[in-house]
């Protein structure tokens, strides 16, 4: 965890949940696992606000709690991590991916669960059906059954999962059978790690729900507000068979989908669309049987791959074998061969493919910032591992002065490292080899930190611009509301023009520049 990560997490918490939640969340990030009394003492926030902040963080999966490090009876400790909070940056991508795969219904289901953290299936179905009905033509309604089917599909493909059952802190430790301690033997450490959802057998089991009906439109009149709230409270109090079973978004499944799509896209760009479809088929066949942390997929025979290809791809079996051989021989090593049975056993090298994608990203960053010659030197060092300055000049075919300047520029930006190998213990420069090299993993982490810093700077800039132009933004919003009401009431064009002229040309230019900054 770095300072840039903590800064970005604090800005995200402030933007989505407010300043109090930001204060509690950043304190947990910096201080690690702490109990309630320490949090109140060190943050100076009142007890009720700390409890509400922790509830918000737990509700959205940004914070977990467990029994204290001293075992049963010790105060409950709360902890959070940057990875859980930085998921907020990917919320739009989660929603867009679901819309692409499952349409508008799946999009709204994921959106509701991301906004509220976790919900029961019945309340999610009713909320989504009401929202879809509101956008339909008059007389049309969304049936609860259609939304339930979309929800079930998301669970079947593991994009949604049950929340692990809540167990009071320390209950697990007290429920465990006590074993007599042997004299002279140290006591076993108490595990305080929260259980994962996959550790429960019913994680992806959809309960039988007795919810029947259609979505309802919201009443436009204010007189019906009290009636609507009372009716909604009455409906929510009814039993639908899924009480106490809450659902949450399975972020790890989305990340695996993003990984697969990145590999497929890279194969399509490197080779062609048919090769990418073969890799897509291999990933789809092994997505259930392959562990999320596996270095490669389970071996698949060429016969299985050929039979599982989409019918629209009318490819003969010898052509499929040629494509598989081409993928195996490719330097990027997306696909590997694991045996000869069944026409050949093939795997997708997941970790190696991701490493090659990260390497290609590093090369593109160097080329965009420092030019094609610097990128040539960078690729040369990645391939040769260690080179002296004279060797870099010769292999890259760049004049000595230019190569020296480029190497020193890359060295100053920490994209290239210099390793000294002395011939004698005194490290005399005349008897020392100076080798340039690229450490891919630290360099990738450095660029990732730069990305975090850039996102945090953009958020702070947007907040600053919004504060500085608050009056202009409020005026624009008021005029837009007046125009919307006039258009709804059928006003004449002269009236609309008169209202639009309330904003001067200078203010319009300022608004355009402001929206350009805010939408970055």
């Amino acid at each position: 965890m770095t300072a840039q990560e903590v800064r970005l997490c604090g800005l995200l918490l402030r933007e989505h949940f407010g300043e109090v939640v930001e204060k509690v969340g950043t304190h947990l990030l910096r201080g690690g696992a702490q109990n309630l009394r320490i949090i109140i003492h060190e943050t100076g926030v009142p007890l009720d606000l700390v409890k509400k902040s922790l509830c918000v963080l737990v509700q959205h999966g940004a914070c977990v709690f467990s029994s204290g490090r001293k075992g049963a009876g010790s105060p409950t400790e709360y902890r959070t991590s940057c990875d859980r909070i930085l998921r907020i940056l990917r919320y739009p991508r989660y929603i867009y991916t679901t819309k692409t795969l499952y349409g508008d219904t799946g999009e709204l289901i994921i959106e509701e669960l991301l906004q509220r953290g976790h919900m029961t299936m019945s309340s999610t179905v009713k909320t989504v059906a009401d929202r879809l009905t509101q956008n339909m033509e008059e007389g049309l309604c969304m049936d609860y059954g259609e939304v339930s089917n979309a929800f079930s599909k998301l669970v079947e493909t593991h994009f949604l999962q049950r929340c692990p059952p809540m167990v009071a802190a320390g209950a697990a430790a007290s429920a465990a059978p006590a074993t007599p301690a042997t004299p002279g033997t140290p006591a076993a450490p108490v595990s305080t790690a929260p259980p994962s959802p996959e550790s429960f057998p019913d994680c992806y089991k959809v309960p039988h729900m007795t919810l029947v009906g259609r979505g309802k439109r919201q009443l436009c009149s204010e007189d019906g507000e009290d009636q609507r709230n009372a009716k909604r409270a009455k409906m929510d109090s009814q039993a639908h068979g899924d009480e106490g079973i809450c659902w949450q978004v399975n972020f790890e499944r989305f990340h695996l989908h993003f990984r697969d799509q990145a590999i497929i896209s890279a194969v399509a760009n490197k080779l062609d669309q048919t090769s990418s479809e073969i890799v897509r088929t291999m990933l789809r066949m092994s997505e259930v049987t392959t562990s999320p942390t596996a270095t490669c997929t389970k071996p698949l025979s060429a016969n299985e791959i050929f039979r599982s290809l989409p019918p629209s791809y009318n490819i003969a079996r010898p052509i499929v074998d040629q494509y598989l051989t081409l993928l195996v021989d490719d330097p990027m090593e997306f696909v590997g061969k694991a045996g000869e049975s069944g026409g050949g056993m093939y795997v997708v090298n997941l970790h190696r493919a991701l490493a090659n994608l990260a390497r290609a990203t590093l090369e593109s960053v160097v080329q965009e910032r420092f030019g094609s010659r610097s990128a040539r030197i960078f690729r040369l060092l990645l391939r040769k591992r260690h080179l002296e300055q004279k060797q870099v000049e010769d292999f890259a075919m760049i004049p000595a002065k230019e190569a020296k300047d480029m190497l020193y520029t890359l060295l100053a930006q920490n994209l290239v490292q210099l390793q000294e190998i002395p011939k004698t213990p005194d490290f005399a420069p005349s008897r020392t080899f100076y080798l340039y090299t690229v450490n891919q993993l630290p360099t990738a982490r450095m660029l990732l930190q730069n990305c975090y810093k850039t996102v945090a700077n953009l958020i702070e800039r947007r907040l600053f611009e919004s504060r500085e132009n608050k009056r202009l933004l409020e005026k624009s919003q008021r005029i837009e509301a007046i125009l919307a009401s006039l258009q709804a009431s059928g006003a004449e064009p002269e009236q609309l023009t008169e209202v639009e002229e309330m904003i001067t040309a200078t203010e319009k230019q300022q608004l355009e520049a402001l929206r350009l900054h805010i939408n970055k």
Side-chain angles (χ1 to χ4, degrees):
M1 185 191 315
T2 62
Q4 296 300 334
E5 288 178 302
V6 174
R7 176 188 170 215
L8 178 55
C9 290
L11 289 170
L12 291 172
L13 290 176
R14 184 197 305 176
E15 187 175 12
H16 287 79
F17 307 118
E19 295 183 358
V20 179
V21 177
E22 176 209 2
K23 190 172 185 179
V24 174
T26 53
H27 177 73
L28 286 175
L29 286 174
R30 293 190 177 100
Q34 295 182 353
N35 58 46
L36 186 61
R37 177 176 294 180
I38 295 177
I39 297 172
I40 296 170
H41 175 72
E42 295 187 357
T43 59
V45 180
L47 172 62
D48 56 338
L49 292 181
V50 171
K51 287 184 176 180
K52 291 178 181 177
S53 300
L54 290 173
C55 285
V56 169
L57 292 173
V58 171
Q59 173 79 13
H60 288 269
C63 178
V64 294
F65 60 90
S66 59
S67 58
R69 283 163 282 190
K70 295 182 179 179
S74 59
T76 302
E77 291 184 341
Y78 302 86
R79 64 173 62 84
T80 186
S81 64
C82 288
D83 293 338
R84 293 175 177 270
I85 299 173
L86 292 176
R87 292 171 183 165
I88 297 174
L89 292 172
R90 290 180 173 168
Y91 278 8
R93 192 176 181 190
Y94 298 144
I95 296 171
Y96 178 74
T97 300
T98 313
K99 180 181 178 67
T100 305
L101 297 175
Y102 300 100
D104 294 338
T105 306
E107 173 195 9
L108 292 181
I109 290 173
I110 295 296
E111 183 180 337
E112 285 293 327
L113 286 170
L114 289 176
Q115 284 182 349
R116 306 193 186 189
H118 56 258
M119 301 170 64
T120 61
M121 181 177 176
S122 57
S123 60
T124 306
V125 169
K126 286 189 289 185
T127 304
V128 171
D130 292 346
R131 289 183 61 181
L132 290 171
T133 302
Q134 191 70 23
N135 296 327
M136 287 182 170
E137 297 179 2
E138 195 67 33
L140 297 177
C141 296
M142 173 59 68
D143 188 74
Y144 287 160
E146 295 184 30
V147 183
S148 299
N149 291 336
F151 194 100
S152 300
K153 288 179 182 177
L154 286 167
V155 175
E156 289 172 6
T157 50
H158 295 187
F159 285 107
L160 296 181
Q161 60 184 189
R162 285 194 188 189
C163 297
M166 287 293 178
V167 181
S174 60
T179 56
T182 305
T185 304
V190 179
S191 175
T192 60
S196 62
E198 287 82 0
S199 61
F200 299 97
D202 296 336
C203 179
Y204 299 108
K205 182 180 179 182
V206 179
H208 178 69
M209 194 174 59
T210 60
L211 182 63
V212 180
R214 294 177 178 271
K216 297 172 178 58
R217 296 180 184 274
Q218 294 183 359
L219 299 176
C220 297
S221 62
E222 296 182 359
D223 298 336
E225 183 71 24
D226 296 336
Q227 296 179 2
R228 184 166 68 252
N229 291 337
K231 188 174 181 180
R232 183 178 298 169
K234 182 179 179 181
M235 289 181 61
D236 292 342
S237 62
Q238 298 175 357
H240 300 292
D242 66 336
E243 289 73 25
I245 301 176
C246 291
W247 297 85
Q248 64 186 2
V249 176
N250 186 3
F251 297 102
E252 295 301 324
R253 177 67 181 86
F254 274 102
H255 296 164
L256 294 179
H257 178 76
F258 297 156
R259 178 201 66 188
D260 294 348
Q261 291 303 309
I263 294 173
I264 294 167
S265 176
V267 173
N269 294 332
K270 185 75 164 43
L271 300 174
D272 62 357
Q273 193 63 35
T274 305
S275 301
S276 69
E277 193 61 39
I278 291 175
V279 174
R280 185 197 304 275
T281 302
M282 295 176 66
L283 290 171
R284 188 179 66 248
M285 293 171 64
S286 58
E287 64 183 358
V288 178
T289 58
T290 303
S291 169
T293 57
T295 58
C296 59
T297 60
K298 296 292 183 181
L300 298 169
S301 67
N303 296 328
E304 293 175 328
I305 298 171
F306 175 71
R307 288 194 298 267
S308 300
L309 283 173
S312 58
Y313 278 81
N314 191 12
I315 309 175
R317 171 61 193 274
I319 303 298
V320 174
D321 292 338
Q322 291 177 9
Y323 269 107
L324 288 170
T325 304
L326 180 66
L327 287 167
V328 171
D329 295 339
D330 187 77
M332 296 293 280
E333 299 178 305
F334 289 115
V335 175
K337 197 167 186 180
E340 297 295 338
S341 59
M345 303 296 289
Y346 297 91
V347 297
V348 179
N349 297 317
L350 300 173
H351 284 196
R352 196 168 298 171
L354 292 177
N356 287 328
L357 289 176
R359 176 174 174 169
T361 304
L362 292 177
E363 294 174 3
S364 65
V365 168
V366 173
Q367 181 162 351
E368 290 295 326
R369 289 185 61 186
F370 306 105
S372 59
R373 290 193 168 188
S374 296
R376 190 192 309 171
I377 292 175
F378 191 79
R379 282 193 292 268
L380 182 64
L381 290 174
L382 280 172
R383 189 173 296 113
K384 299 291 187 179
R385 301 293 180 90
H386 295 85
L387 289 176
E388 291 184 296
Q389 182 175 323
K390 184 66 171 64
Q391 293 175 313
V392 171
E393 299 166 6
D394 296 339
F395 284 127
M397 293 183 291
I398 298 175
K401 185 176 183 302
E402 293 183 19
K404 182 178 179 180
D405 292 341
M406 292 174 185
L407 280 171
Y408 286 0
T409 302
L410 294 174
L411 187 63
Q413 296 293 326
N414 290 326
L415 295 169
V416 169
Q417 290 75 39
L418 186 63
Q419 185 173 355
E420 300 178 359
I421 302 179
K423 295 180 182 177
T424 56
D426 59 354
F427 282 84
S430 60
R431 293 185 295 275
T432 302
F433 293 108
Y434 295 94
L435 303 180
Y436 290 93
T437 185
V438 175
N439 294 326
Q440 184 172 326
L441 187 58
T443 305
R445 286 174 177 163
M446 181 195 69
L447 292 179
L448 181 62
Q449 296 303 317
N450 291 343
C451 292
Y452 290 148
K453 183 178 181 180
T454 303
V455 175
N457 289 343
L458 287 172
I459 293 175
E460 287 191 339
R461 182 66 181 177
R462 186 182 64 204
L463 295 174
F464 173 78
E465 294 286 351
S466 301
R467 278 196 310 270
E468 291 294 312
N469 299 275
K470 183 179 180 181
R471 184 197 62 80
L472 185 59
L473 288 171
E474 291 176 351
K475 181 179 179 181
S476 174
Q477 291 172 357
R478 285 197 303 269
I479 291 175
E480 288 175 359
I482 294 171
L483 287 172
S485 61
L486 288 175
Q487 289 173 353
S489 61
E492 297 180 356
E494 291 79 6
Q495 292 177 317
L496 297 177
T497 306
E498 184 179 352
V499 174
E500 289 175 353
E501 290 176 351
M502 293 172 62
I503 295 184
T504 63
T506 307
E507 290 177 334
K508 287 182 180 179
Q509 292 179 357
Q510 292 178 357
L511 277 173
E512 290 177 1
L514 177 61
R515 284 170 181 152
L516 182 63
H517 284 301
I518 289 178
N519 293 332
K520 280 185 179 179

